[in-house]
Amino acid sequence: MASTTTAAVNRITDFTPFFSVISKLRKPSPIRALMPIMNLPGMISLAGGLPNSQTFPFQSIKVDLNNQTSLEIGGKELSDGLQYHPSQGLPSLTQYMRKHQQVTHQLPSDENKQLWDVICTSGSQDGLTKAFEMFLNPYNVQLQALDLFNNNHNNNNNINSNNNNNEQKEEMDKIPCKRLAILLKQEHEQK
């Protein structure tokens, strides 16, 4: 009978040893470092990039949806949405996302953001790119199950072991990670 032991889980709290060379060379933006100070009540910022919201040419924005409903945003919400914000995202949106994640996934309350947090990006590809750039160095090998982002729309986007097209093979030789994923897929299919 095998014995079961409960080992303490060591949570990684410092990810800097895993950062890529490029990430380790990055320095904080001086303007971004001033954001907390500029948000103090009564603070008048002369820094660039934060225009007076009263000069915006919009009073409100209305969007009519296909289901016959409308969404309208105006006032402070519109002014806040049109301003520059911390890199993590619009504070009201990231607060909502944190609460949603906490309730949906039953996460512990973590006001100091030591255990978990959220970040808002412009899209999934943008977020993935930033994560890969943070942890992968040039020429690191990555394995992926499928070719999800093939930019070649002129063919059927499939390269298989029966295809002897020299042009496609030459193109594949230029993309080592993609080529490795296809070779692994072919080997798996032969088993």
Side-chain angles (χ1 to χ4, degrees):
M1 177 180 230
S3 64
T4 55
T5 58
T6 305
V9 176
N10 293 327
R11 184 178 300 271
I12 298 173
T13 57
D14 180 13
F15 290 91
T16 54
F18 304 103
F19 284 176
S20 68
V21 173
I22 293 170
S23 290
K24 288 178 181 176
L25 293 173
R26 288 191 173 118
K27 303 291 181 216
S29 162
I31 291 178
R32 291 286 182 189
L34 291 174
M35 286 296 280
I37 297 167
M38 292 187 284
N39 289 330
L40 293 173
M43 180 64 66
I44 297 173
S45 170
L46 300 177
L50 293 173
N52 182 342
S53 61
Q54 293 177 347
T55 64
F56 292 157
F58 309 106
Q59 290 183 355
S60 67
I61 295 175
K62 181 180 175 186
V63 178
D64 295 324
L65 304 175
N66 287 338
N67 67 0
Q68 309 307 317
T69 61
S70 297
L71 300 173
E72 187 168 358
I73 184 172
K76 183 171 175 16
E77 284 183 326
L78 179 60
S79 294
D80 287 350
L82 293 174
Q83 282 291 5
Y84 292 98
H85 291 283
S87 299
Q88 188 175 7
L90 181 66
S92 59
L93 177 60
T94 55
Q95 287 171 355
Y96 171 83
M97 290 169 45
R98 282 183 55 77
K99 187 66 174 171
H100 175 75
Q101 291 297 318
Q102 183 180 0
V103 170
T104 303
H105 301 291
Q106 301 173 354
L107 297 172
S109 178
D110 184 25
E111 296 304 319
N112 295 329
K113 302 176 185 174
Q114 296 296 312
L115 298 175
W116 64 274
D117 204 357
V118 298
I119 188 165
C120 187
T121 66
S122 62
S124 61
Q125 187 65 41
D126 177 54
L128 288 170
T129 298
K130 286 179 171 131
F132 292 152
E133 285 177 352
M134 185 179 352
F135 295 112
L136 297 176
N137 288 306
Y139 306 106
N140 278 155
V141 174
Q142 66 166 327
L143 298 179
Q144 60 189 44
L146 298 171
D147 177 22
L148 300 176
F149 299 103
N150 187 338
N151 292 327
N152 186 357
H153 299 291
N154 296 328
N155 60 27
N156 64 3
N157 293 335
N158 291 320
I159 299 175
N160 56 49
S161 58
N162 298 327
N163 190 341
N164 291 323
N165 186 326
N166 288 334
E167 184 178 317
Q168 285 184 333
K169 285 183 179 180
E170 288 173 15
E171 194 64 29
M172 292 308 299
D173 287 336
K174 297 176 187 174
I175 311 170
C177 296
K178 190 172 181 182
R179 186 166 182 246
L180 177 60
I182 289 171
L183 292 173
L184 291 171
K185 180 181 175 193
Q186 290 172 354
E187 183 178 319
H188 176 73
E189 289 172 350
Q190 290 174 356
K191 288 183 180 179

